[in-house]
Amino acid sequence: MQALLFVLLLSSLLQADIQTKNCMVGDTNIQIQTEKFAPNNAGIYYINLHSDESTSVEAVQEYISTEGGIFLHLLHKEERNIAFNLNNTDYFFDPNRIYTAKGIKATLTKNATYTKQAEEAVKRFADTVLAQLKNPKLIVAMHNNGDKKFSIKSYTKNKEEAINAAKVYINTAMDEDDFVYTTEDKIFNHLKQNKINVVLQKKTGFVNDGSLSVYCGLKKIPYINVEAEQGHKEQQLQMLQILTQAISWYK
């Protein structure tokens, strides 16, 4: 059965319209790959920003091969952070922490060192990523995490992410690592009704860490993050399938 599913997915990928854009950050080349599956549903984008989160890539490719959609993901070394050298200095940044000026400065400082030149180089890359999201109606980010390292419980009272959460719904029958994070009340309610772990981001007062969810919150762009433990492909697919109705609201 798994072999058959792989063949079907490979066949659908061969039928997809795939385009690749090369971006240099210092001495590092990062590819932004865009895969379009009919129907494209213009304005609805699926995106993966961490190259080491391969389960989410497999899940969304399988999902949109039948549902249609536009999927962007970054291709470089299979690591969370991106390394580059500029003027003989090494820098590192998290590609999901670069969509505000405050976020760029914080991620460079946290992971190595900050300079104005490095900030400008990373900002050009962030602007290039955002430019691929033309007139977005909805952004669906795809992420993976490690077992109990980051979970829905991270958003509960007195935990590190609680400051960002307006509401949290937990289904104790689900793995705590599998959950959805959204900026939209109606999506939160839809998932709660379907007994899916879900977090609603605050409308204001969330931490400006430069993440895509923060960017979308500031720009009033509807946003969903489908988060699952690495290796939980079927669980991530299930969450996408339950989101199908909600995604259709933005078509």
Side-chain angles (χ1 to χ4, degrees), residues 36 38 48 65 73 104 107 147 173 178 199 214 225 230:
K36 297 181 180 180
N48 167 274
S65 68
H73 58 116
I104 293 173
T107 191
D147 186 22
D178 304 332
V199 180
V214 165
N225 168 22
Q230 183 77 356

Side-chain angles (χ1 to χ4, degrees), residues 154-168:
S154 301
Y155 294 90
T156 56
K157 188 176 180 180
N158 297 325
K159 299 295 185 178
E160 61 271 25
E161 295 291 337
I163 191 172
N164 296 311
K167 297 178 184 178
V168 180

Side-chain angles (χ1 to χ4, degrees), residues 121-132:
V122 174
K123 185 180 186 305
R124 285 193 293 272
F125 173 67
D127 289 344
T128 301
V129 173
L130 294 174
Q132 311 311 304

